[in-house]
Amino acid sequence: MRDKSQEPCCLPLKEEFQRSKFSLFHDDPGSFCRSQWQKSDRNIIWLLYRWILAAFFAGGVIGSMVDSFNDGRWFIYLTDWGFSLCFYCCTYGAIVATIYFIKPSYFGLGNRALKIYWISHYTTSVLSMLVSLVFWAALSTTMPEEVGDLYNLWSHAFNSVCMIFDCFMVAFPARIAFFIYPIAVVIVFLVHSLIYYFAGGTDIEGNRFIYYALDWARPGLAIGFVCASLALVCIFSFVAFGIYRLRISMLKCCGKTQEDPPAILEFSKESSARRV
């Protein structure tokens, strides 16, 4: 058996470019329901954390829609797409954790609900970092009066902070190959912005664009923004993978190893017995 402790540091990165890494199969379904750091199979603190995080984003999304719905224009911004994804992903994760807490053997190998959660968590984490960087680096100067607004901080700072922290807390891996999912969301948004422009849509101030940098009346600027956004998604996909590898390294430094809990081992044995 290969001793993973003797592997060169670049080997995990090299292995990420194998075709198998595009697969959504994972041999430990329980890792989507637990924290990397919990000792027992079930942990009430982890369950409370998941629901608190879901409630945090629920409060932000609901409060923002009440305050800034603007005849439906709330839905045209990537910020609000990303913030809604944070709410969806964290609520989904809380439900998964609750089901697992009640019945650890509920989720089997190849469970579709866990695959959806894996995709949504990875996509949300990458997009939250993208939204935060793009806003603070490029857009905040165009709206200085809103920089200190609570919702602005909630959706452009707390979103990425919370999702990055959550990446350190979960127990499932991050795959570089999954960059295709946040890329798909960004492409859908860009197509939406183009259709919105040609349909005569305006932002809350009456401008013929959603963001100044995505003004299709200036195609050079808009295309440059598109290319930069797609490049940043790829970069943040590496960042998400780096956070995962750092989490594993921290786990090893604490003298712990990733092991299947008894419930999962028992489920795997039962599944194998049924196949025989």
Side-chain angles (χ1 to χ4, degrees):
M1 183 178 294
R2 185 175 62 183
D3 184 1
K4 292 188 177 182
S5 64
Q6 302 302 318
E7 292 178 350
C9 61
C10 61
L11 185 57
L13 181 60
K14 181 180 179 181
E15 291 179 342
E16 284 299 305
F17 295 95
Q18 298 176 0
R19 184 181 301 177
S20 61
K21 295 300 182 180
F22 287 90
S23 171
L24 289 170
F25 177 81
H26 189 52
D27 57 6
D28 179 12
S31 64
F32 296 98
C33 316
R34 306 186 307 268
S35 169
Q36 184 80 82
W37 309 101
Q38 70 185 62
K39 295 180 179 179
S40 59
D41 184 27
R42 293 183 288 184
N43 189 292
I44 188 64
I45 296 177
W46 174 247
L47 183 62
L48 290 174
Y49 161 78
R50 293 248 57 99
W51 280 109
I52 290 172
L53 193 61
F56 174 79
F57 282 114
V61 169
I62 295 172
S64 171
M65 291 185 71
V66 170
D67 182 62
S68 309
F69 190 70
N70 291 312
D71 297 324
R73 288 186 175 86
W74 189 90
F75 294 101
I76 70 174
Y77 295 101
L78 183 61
T79 292
D80 298 319
W81 285 32
F83 207 39
S84 298
L85 276 175
C86 288
F87 168 51
Y88 165 79
C89 173
C90 291
T91 303
Y92 198 124
I95 294 172
V96 166
T98 302
I99 294 173
Y100 183 82
F101 187 83
I102 296 171
K103 188 178 181 181
S105 61
Y106 180 84
F107 295 108
L109 294 173
N111 186 279
R112 186 175 299 177
L114 297 183
K115 292 180 180 180
I116 294 173
Y117 178 48
W118 198 2
I119 292 173
S120 64
H121 191 280
Y122 183 89
T123 301
T124 302
S125 300
V126 171
L127 287 181
S128 66
M129 290 185 277
L130 172 69
V131 167
S132 293
L133 179 65
V134 169
F135 177 81
W136 294 107
L139 301 178
S140 60
T141 56
T142 65
M143 48 185 75
E145 70 284 352
E146 298 182 14
V147 169
D149 181 71
L150 176 60
Y151 173 69
N152 181 59
L153 295 174
W154 211 330
S155 58
H156 294 118
F158 300 158
N159 61 331
S160 53
V161 170
C162 289
M163 292 308 301
I164 290 173
F165 178 78
D166 199 49
C167 287
F168 279 104
M169 298 301 295
V170 298
F172 52 86
R175 303 290 188 216
I176 293 177
F178 287 3
F179 78 95
I180 58 176
Y181 301 114
I183 282 281
V185 174
V186 171
I187 290 175
V188 169
F189 175 78
L190 295 173
V191 172
H192 145 75
S193 72
L194 185 60
I195 294 173
Y196 192 76
Y197 169 77
F198 281 110
T202 61
D203 68 359
I204 58 176
E205 296 179 353
N207 298 308
R208 284 288 309 280
F209 50 75
I210 297 176
Y211 296 112
Y212 176 79
L214 199 55
D215 183 1
W216 291 101
R218 302 178 179 86
L221 176 64
I223 293 173
F225 182 79
V226 168
C227 294
S229 298
L230 296 177
L232 285 172
V233 169
C234 295
I235 292 172
F236 284 128
S237 295
F238 278 90
V239 172
F241 176 74
I243 292 173
Y244 159 61
R245 296 305 306 178
L246 178 59
R247 191 187 79 216
I248 297 301
S249 297
M250 292 168 62
L251 191 71
K252 291 179 179 178
C253 290
C254 294
K256 299 180 180 180
T257 57
Q258 287 182 294
E259 297 179 351
D260 289 341
I264 296 302
L265 291 174
E266 181 180 345
F267 175 84
S268 299
K269 291 178 181 177
E270 291 177 357
S271 299
S272 299
R274 283 197 294 268
R275 285 195 295 268
V276 175

